[in-house]
Amino acid sequence: MATRAKRQPRIEPTFGETGSSLLDLRLGPQDRPSAPSGKKTSKTKGRKSSKTNSSKKPAAKKSSPSRRGQPKKSTTSRRSGRSGSKRRSQKRKNRFQARTAFGRLLKRGLYWSMVLGIWGSIAVVCIIGYYAAFLPPTSEWQVPARPPNVKIVASNGGLIANRGDTGGEAVRLEQLPPYLPNAVIAIEDRRYRSHIGVDPIGLARALYTNVTAGRLTQGGSTLTQQLAKNLFLEPDRTIKRKIQELVLAFWLEAEYSKDEILEMYLNRVYLGSGAYGVDAAARRYFGKSARLLTIPEAATIAGLLKAPSRYSPARNPDLAEDRAQLVLAAMHEEGYITAGEAKNALAAPAQVVRRYTTASENYAADWVMDVLPHFVGSIEKDIIVDTTIDPAMQSAAETALRSALEENRQTLGVSQGAIVTLDTAGAVKAMVGGADYSKSQFNRAVYAKRQPGSAFKPFVYLAALENGLTPQSVRQDKPITIGGWSPKNYTKQHYGAVTLTRSLSLSLNTVAAQLAYEVGVGTVASTAQRLGITSDMKKNLSLSLGTSEVTPLEIASAYVPFSNGGYGVLPHIIRRIRTVDGKTLYSRSGDGRGRVVARGAVGNMNLMMAETLMTGTGRKARLDSGRPAGGKTGTSQDFRDAWFIGYTGNLTTAVWFGNDNNSPTKKATGGSLPAIVWKEVMDKSHDGLPVADLPGVPNLPASVSAPRKPVSNATVGSGSEPIPPAPIGGDPELGERRGPLNLLRNLFGGG
């Protein structure tokens, strides 16, 4: 094996001449960083233990130029200085690391917040887009027309009622007192004038309130959102409806001004008791137009918006007042009213007018709505209906009926009544369909069919007169039996031979049955129909005693020909129908049925009917003014119905009392309570009217004519089979041949 070459010593590179005067670029020990105290490297130890001589001194013993002339520090102080510097350095390092970690965390939080915000925005946009897709195209969006209102006014122009889906008129914002819309804004949407359809602050507050309460206690919807919901959407609580509400609210804000949106809202919002819009609510609760509301009344209506039924002043006046006080405080806080106005409003709270729900005019208004489609068909815009109702007569009828029921409810066992008054043309001047409209909206004056009792007898007597008899014709009042039927008088007494005038005034059933038998039940029925009875009538002899049911309105209209000289009428309540801008849609014209009774027969009937008030069963109905009047009492079987129908040369009024369940009264008769009420109504209704004589009343001498067909106790026919009268002549005016009427016309100047 070859021997290993001896390692040559390392030759350091030199630059230029070698010598001490040249710059030595190699690092010496003094130029290297010192090791930490107490931890010597092996090289350092090696150097200290070496005893070899060196031409150069160790670097540690050399003093640097910067430290020359300074005392040498001890090793202990040098170590402690190094330790304090280390601690300070460590603290700075910890603080730096903490700041760095917080910065990294903040950056991460901002980053992920931005990421989540972006994705959340995308998700919201997608959800909104999804549910908005169920809406019609924006080109088809339009605010639906407000349901038309029907304003029903009396003959003097005064308001009777508003009818329709809203129950009130549409009013312009500038027509309202400023504190009404301000009250709504103050309590419902304080930032209404500044937001764009959605109020983020209000929404956040509502969300916080609901979360802390653990239930839904507050809503964050703006007035614009509420309007959007009312106009376009169903009132369900779903995310779909809420998102569509937001979209539509933005659209409304873009299409309409703030005032226009507020006006639409105030005219359409539901405010309880069937009232839609502030005008309907003002009339419902305070009996006035919204244009005339006071500050406390405006606050009360604004308070209804949260819960119309709960805060209704008609149902919960205390809660309504508390809510109104909260509204007043909000109005003052927002600067809409002064402190003095707020104090005055708190000291004098709004008072509810209950007459709106109880007023008898509502019966007339309901009838108007029932017949209105026959005149104008469908209603597409607000209209005004001028009626024939006279407010003074209406008030007189309502007052008389309610007072009578209150005083006699227990003693006479009557719980309901009806009154209707017509003029000589058949125009309804007053109509009371019941005791209290708020408790029962059934209009008994128009729709209740009840047995008229003896009030039907004038048609029997008129048929007899038209078949040749006179007011002085005599019949025997005695017990009779006709076809197995034995009618009896109310008094159970008999008067023997009596004139037709006397028998009608005393309301003798036996004579009425005899007359119906003589002329025929069919003739009696056709006579009643000719004058205005429209209900079905049973063709048997009991018809003469009023066993077939009629309504107060139709029997009153059938009495009008006695008042106007023999002309049939069509009872009516509408005079004219016009739009709010003055266009006439309907105006009444025509003369009704024309002549239905000859003038002579009218005069004779008036003579007989006047006697009823003078000496007969209707004496309590005699008018204080001494006006000529005629009428007839009526009491149905078992005292179930009590009537008085009477007339003057100006007006005809029918009065009925009874019970809705058709139960018997405590012997209430037509000559008692109905006659008294009729007198009271007619006395007041004739204030200011000229005195008019009854048409065609002749000054007849007392005479007796023999009966054409005497009736004895024997059975002479079947009660269900009318026996036709003997053939007699006729009257050209009636289109029939009835000879004895010609004789009466020649004797007494009748028509």
Side-chain angles (χ1 to χ4, degrees), residues 37 69 165 189 209 227 333 351 409 422 437 505-506 604 619 647 656:
S37 59
D165 292 338
D189 191 358
T209 302
L227 178 63
E333 182 179 343
Q351 299 296 320
R409 189 182 305 272
L422 290 75
Y437 182 82
S505 68
L506 296 177
N604 287 332
R619 292 187 298 273
Y647 55 90
W656 167 82

Side-chain angles (χ1 to χ4, degrees), residues 368-616:
V368 168
M369 295 304 295
D370 288 345
V371 300
L372 191 60
H374 299 291
F375 298 98
V376 295
S378 61
I379 303 171
E380 298 179 353
K381 58 173 61 177
D382 288 5
I383 61 174
I384 301 172
V385 179
D386 296 310
T387 71
T388 59
I389 294 294
D390 183 289
M393 297 183 189
Q394 182 73 28
S395 178
E398 179 183 337
T399 301
L401 180 70
R402 290 187 175 179
S403 298
L405 286 173
E406 185 177 352
E407 295 172 3
N408 298 277
R409 189 182 305 272
Q410 299 298 327
T411 57
L412 292 178
V414 291
S415 60
Q416 279 294 350
I419 298 176
V420 59
T421 297
L422 290 75
D423 66 10
T424 54
V428 176
K429 310 301 289 185
M431 175 178 286
V432 183
D436 189 336
Y437 182 82
S438 64
K439 296 180 180 178
S440 173
Q441 291 78 50
F442 179 62
N443 191 342
R444 296 155 188 83
V446 178
Y447 301 113
K449 291 192 173 186
R450 308 303 288 260
Q451 291 184 348
S454 295
F456 189 86
K457 288 177 181 176
F459 308 119
V460 178
Y461 281 78
L462 176 61
L465 294 180
E466 290 178 341
N467 278 276
L469 302 183
T470 69
Q472 287 73 38
S473 297
V474 175
R475 289 295 180 269
Q476 293 293 322
D477 174 29
K478 61 181 180 180
I480 61 170
T481 299
I482 305 175
W485 177 55
S486 301
K488 294 179 175 58
N489 295 330
Y490 169 71
T491 61
K492 304 296 190 295
Q493 297 179 354
H494 298 281
Y495 298 89
V498 291
T499 64
L500 298 191
T501 300
R502 180 66 172 163
S503 66
L504 181 60
S505 68
L506 296 177
S507 195
L508 300 178
N509 292 339
T510 58
V511 176
Q514 291 179 53
L515 295 176
Y517 173 73
E518 290 182 38
V519 302
V521 177
T523 302
V524 172
S526 63
T527 301
Q529 289 172 340
R530 180 170 17 110
L531 268 69
I533 298 297
T534 58
S535 297
D536 294 335
M537 290 174 280
K538 297 179 180 179
K539 304 296 179 58
N540 54 48
L541 284 176
S542 65
L543 175 66
S544 61
L545 305 186
T547 56
S548 290
E549 296 176 337
V550 297
T551 68
L553 179 63
E554 67 177 310
I555 197 168
S557 65
Y559 270 56
V560 171
F562 302 138
S563 170
N564 66 15
Y567 294 92
V569 298
L570 297 172
H572 61 277
I573 193 172
I574 297 176
R575 293 189 301 113
R576 182 178 56 170
I577 304 172
R578 52 196 168 94
T579 62
V580 292
D581 54 5
K583 180 182 178 181
T584 299
L585 303 178
Y586 166 80
S587 182
R588 181 172 178 77
S589 60
D591 299 325
R593 300 173 182 270
R595 178 171 287 281
V596 294
V597 184
R599 286 188 292 270
V602 171
N604 287 332
M605 284 300 301
N606 285 337
L607 175 69
M608 300 165 68
M609 300 273 274
E611 190 67 23
T612 301
L613 273 69
M614 298 302 295
T615 63

Side-chain angles (χ1 to χ4, degrees), residues 255-269:
E255 291 291 322
Y256 299 94
S257 68
K258 288 289 186 179
D259 284 348
E260 289 174 329
I261 293 173
L262 185 58
E263 182 179 300
M264 285 189 286
Y265 178 83
L266 294 175
N267 279 308
R268 299 166 188 257
V269 64

Side-chain angles (χ1 to χ4, degrees), residues 135-472:
L135 293 170
T138 55
S139 59
E140 300 178 9
W141 291 6
Q142 59 180 352
V143 174
R146 183 177 185 268
N149 177 66
V150 180
K151 183 179 181 180
I152 303 171
V153 298
S155 58
N156 65 351
L159 178 69
I160 292 178
N162 284 291
R163 288 290 187 270
D165 292 338
T166 59
E169 303 174 55
V171 290
R172 300 297 303 273
L173 190 63
E174 59 267 20
Q175 295 175 324
L176 296 172
Y179 39 78
L180 178 56
N182 287 341
V184 174
I185 292 174
I187 197 64
E188 285 292 313
D189 191 358
R190 296 191 180 191
R191 284 170 291 277
Y192 170 73
R193 295 290 182 184
S194 60
H195 64 61
I196 58 172
V198 178
D199 182 10
I201 298 176
L203 195 61
R205 184 183 64 251
L207 180 62
Y208 174 78
T209 302
N210 295 333
V211 169
T212 54
R215 58 189 178 89
L216 186 62
T217 62
Q218 191 177 102
S221 296
T222 64
L223 295 180
T224 312
Q225 289 176 262
Q226 294 179 41
L227 178 63
K229 178 182 66 176
N230 294 338
L231 290 178
F232 305 107
L233 304 172
E234 297 296 328
D236 54 338
R237 292 189 175 186
T238 62
I239 186 66
K240 175 182 177 181
R241 197 271 296 165
K242 195 65 179 178
I243 290 175
Q244 291 178 340
E245 177 186 299
L246 292 174
V247 174
L248 292 169
F250 289 136
W251 176 79
L252 286 172
E253 290 280 350
E255 291 291 322
Y256 299 94
S257 68
K258 288 289 186 179
D259 284 348
E260 289 174 329
I261 293 173
L262 185 58
E263 182 179 300
M264 285 189 286
Y265 178 83
L266 294 175
N267 279 308
R268 299 166 188 257
V269 64
Y270 181 65
L271 293 165
S273 300
Y276 288 84
V278 292
D279 187 72
R283 297 188 185 279
R284 164 65 182 82
Y285 299 116
F286 306 115
K288 63 174 70 173
S289 169
R291 304 173 181 89
L292 305 175
L293 289 175
T294 64
I295 291 178
E297 291 168 346
T300 302
I301 287 181
L304 290 167
L305 294 171
K306 183 177 182 180
S309 298
R310 175 177 171 77
Y311 294 111
S312 169
R315 297 180 58 185
N316 301 306
D318 293 337
L319 286 177
E321 185 176 346
D322 292 342
R323 180 68 176 169
Q325 292 176 0
L326 185 63
V327 175
L328 291 170
M331 294 174 69
H332 174 58
E333 182 179 343
E334 293 298 310
Y336 294 134
I337 58 176
T338 65
E341 290 173 328
K343 290 179 181 178
N344 292 335
L346 291 172
Q351 299 296 320
V352 176
V353 177
R354 300 189 180 277
R355 176 170 171 75
Y356 183 87
T357 56
T358 63
S360 62
E361 296 97 313
N362 286 296
Y363 291 112
D366 287 350
W367 190 42
V368 168
M369 295 304 295
D370 288 345
V371 300
L372 191 60
H374 299 291
F375 298 98
V376 295
S378 61
I379 303 171
E380 298 179 353
K381 58 173 61 177
D382 288 5
I383 61 174
I384 301 172
V385 179
D386 296 310
T387 71
T388 59
I389 294 294
D390 183 289
M393 297 183 189
Q394 182 73 28
S395 178
E398 179 183 337
T399 301
L401 180 70
R402 290 187 175 179
S403 298
L405 286 173
E406 185 177 352
E407 295 172 3
N408 298 277
R409 189 182 305 272
Q410 299 298 327
T411 57
L412 292 178
V414 291
S415 60
Q416 279 294 350
I419 298 176
V420 59
T421 297
L422 290 75
D423 66 10
T424 54
V428 176
K429 310 301 289 185
M431 175 178 286
V432 183
D436 189 336
Y437 182 82
S438 64
K439 296 180 180 178
S440 173
Q441 291 78 50
F442 179 62
N443 191 342
R444 296 155 188 83
V446 178
Y447 301 113
K449 291 192 173 186
R450 308 303 288 260
Q451 291 184 348
S454 295
F456 189 86
K457 288 177 181 176
F459 308 119
V460 178
Y461 281 78
L462 176 61
L465 294 180
E466 290 178 341
N467 278 276
L469 302 183
T470 69
Q472 287 73 38

